[in-house]
Amino acid sequence: MIQNKTHKKIDFDKILDQVHVFAPATVANMICGFDILGFAVDSPGDEVKMYRTAEPGVRIRSIQGDEGRLPLDPDKNTVSACVKMLLRELDLQDDIGVEIELIKHMPIGSGLGSSSASTVAGLFAINTLLGNTLTKDELMPYCVEGERLACGHGHADNVAPALMGGITLIRGQEPLDIVKLPVPQDLYAGIVFPQVDVPTRDARQLIKGKVQLKDAVTQWGNIAGLISGLFLSDYELISRSMHDVLIEPTRAILIPQFYEMKRIALEHGALSFGISGSGPSVVAITKGKAVAKAATEHIQQHLSANGIDSLKFVSAVNIEGPKVL
Ligand code: HSE
């Protein structure tokens, strides 16, 4: 048993030899809650396999599904860099060695919280390997730091739902104040990822720094309405509230066929439709799976007819967050 910087007791007998975990993709912003709302989905998500080694240190054994885009250098790769950071914080860097296999099931730069899913998978894996030393609340700041390493900014609207599961509100960033919100049982997401490149950095730079007071009033009315709708499981109220007058009008121009996709989703019964995170993925929020399925199928057909390849995912809101496989 050793005591470390965080004053956590590590029982070396409880450290596992290997662990295999999954962490979910996330839909940040939840249409009207820019930078403050997000939810996790059952699929897609990323997997991390972590193996304990006799030699101390953190190494990347392999990465699958990234088309060679992610670095294998353990100091440059976000997953290994986060694991190293946590081991340092626990004062275990000279005692523990791990090798990591990262398996990505979602495209990078899709607006589905790809880097967050990998970061959360990596940190959840090392924490599990160490015998669940930290609680999820204690792990969260490391996940936010991981997001900062990956994207240059440490906002938590992807990592919070990826780690906590369900729908999360980032009430405050500094200090971090995360609130878990209720998830109405039939709430589904139909996600379509048009295969065009929209880097988060560009999508953020495009947004105006100032907003009109009347637009701010509309937006906070919508956010409050959405939160009330979630508490009441009132799908009509959720539908009325999920409109974004601040960000969508600017970002939609980066996403081909955005307004046509929106028309199709709403015509097929979606409660709402908008951009997932910073895009280019779009999301139809629906009551029930059948509507999400129909909306995504018709959107995909429309994109295909316009020469745009796409991927689609239909999922309930993921309640659990990361899990051991
Ligand atoms: N809230 C962020 C944005 C999410 O919309 O830029 C980015 O993943």
Side-chain angles (χ1 to χ4, degrees):
M1 195 82 86
I2 65 161
Q3 195 92 31
N4 51 58
K5 279 191 232 168
T6 58
H7 306 293
K8 287 280 176 186
K9 287 191 174 68
I10 310 286
D11 185 345
F12 271 68
D13 292 337
K14 289 214 174 118
I15 298 180
L16 306 176
D17 285 335
Q18 65 179 69
V19 65
H20 180 187
V21 309
F22 164 90
T26 42
V27 174
N29 302 337
M30 214 173 167
I31 315 280
C32 58
F34 177 67
D35 275 1
I36 63 163
L37 291 174
F39 66 88
V41 291
D42 285 331
S43 126
D46 285 347
E47 288 172 53
V48 160
K49 292 181 181 174
M50 193 173 277
Y51 307 88
R52 192 172 172 197
T53 55
E55 194 190 334
V58 179
R59 284 162 290 272
I60 301 273
R61 199 183 268 187
S62 64
I63 304 177
Q64 290 169 41
D66 70 326
E67 293 162 345
R69 288 171 68 184
L70 295 176
L72 289 160
D73 179 341
D75 290 316
K76 296 205 176 110
N77 182 286
T78 324
V79 177
S80 42
C82 289
V83 172
K84 284 179 87 163
M85 171 175 66
L86 188 68
L87 288 176
R88 263 197 319 273
E89 187 66 19
L90 294 169
D91 228 351
L92 292 173
Q93 71 274 26
D94 299 326
D95 301 295
I96 301 290
V98 292
E99 281 189 3
I100 295 168
E101 281 177 26
L102 172 61
I103 304 152
K104 293 207 63 73
H105 292 290
M106 75 183 94
I108 297 161
S110 54
L112 294 172
S114 175
S115 61
S116 299
S118 295
T119 299
V120 167
L123 285 167
F124 185 75
I126 185 70
N127 193 46
T128 307
L129 195 98
L130 295 175
N132 288 311
T133 302
L134 302 182
T135 64
K136 279 190 176 179
D137 284 341
E138 290 168 331
L139 207 52
M140 183 56 77
Y142 299 99
C143 295
V144 176
E145 184 57 18
E147 183 74 346
R148 201 187 58 72
L149 289 175
C151 314
H153 49 80
H155 59 80
D157 55 350
N158 286 114
V159 282
L163 181 66
M164 299 293 182
I167 304 172
T168 53
L169 163 69
I170 314 300
R171 207 283 313 151
Q173 186 76 30
E174 283 180 20
L176 202 55
D177 186 357
I178 295 167
V179 183
K180 271 199 89 167
L181 298 171
V183 180
Q185 211 179 349
D186 289 335
L187 207 62
Y188 272 75
I191 296 167
V192 178
F193 169 44
Q195 311 226 302
V196 293
D197 211 21
V198 178
T200 301
R201 245 173 252 257
D202 295 359
R204 285 188 85 81
Q205 271 165 9
L206 206 67
I207 298 166
K208 288 177 277 185
K210 289 187 178 160
V211 299
Q212 295 278 338
L213 184 61
K214 69 172 177 41
D215 290 337
V217 172
T218 303
Q219 194 90 354
W220 62 54
N222 282 339
I223 294 169
L226 170 58
I227 307 272
S228 307
L230 296 176
F231 272 92
L232 297 166
S233 279
D234 181 337
Y235 293 93
E236 275 301 311
L237 179 55
I238 291 170
S239 180
R240 288 205 300 284
S241 305
M242 286 185 110
H243 297 284
D244 172 16
V245 298
L246 296 184
I247 311 297
E248 182 180 293
T250 311
R251 280 185 171 170
I253 56 171
L254 295 172
I255 302 169
Q257 303 291 328
F258 179 82
Y259 289 105
E260 269 306 292
M261 293 192 279
K262 185 170 196 163
R263 184 188 58 74
I264 293 166
L266 297 177
E267 256 177 31
H268 284 86
L271 300 170
S272 176
F273 177 89
I275 303 169
S276 173
S278 56
S281 287
V282 290
V283 60
I285 306 291
T286 68
K287 183 178 181 192
K289 192 174 184 177
V291 176
K293 213 164 160 283
T296 50
E297 272 165 13
H298 284 91
I299 288 171
Q300 195 168 47
Q301 278 165 18
H302 175 79
L303 288 177
S304 185
N306 284 277
I308 302 166
D309 288 336
S310 64
L311 299 174
K312 63 178 162 52
F313 308 95
V314 171
S315 172
V317 176
N318 169 301
I319 305 297
E320 191 183 2
K323 63 180 176 193
V324 175
L325 294 175

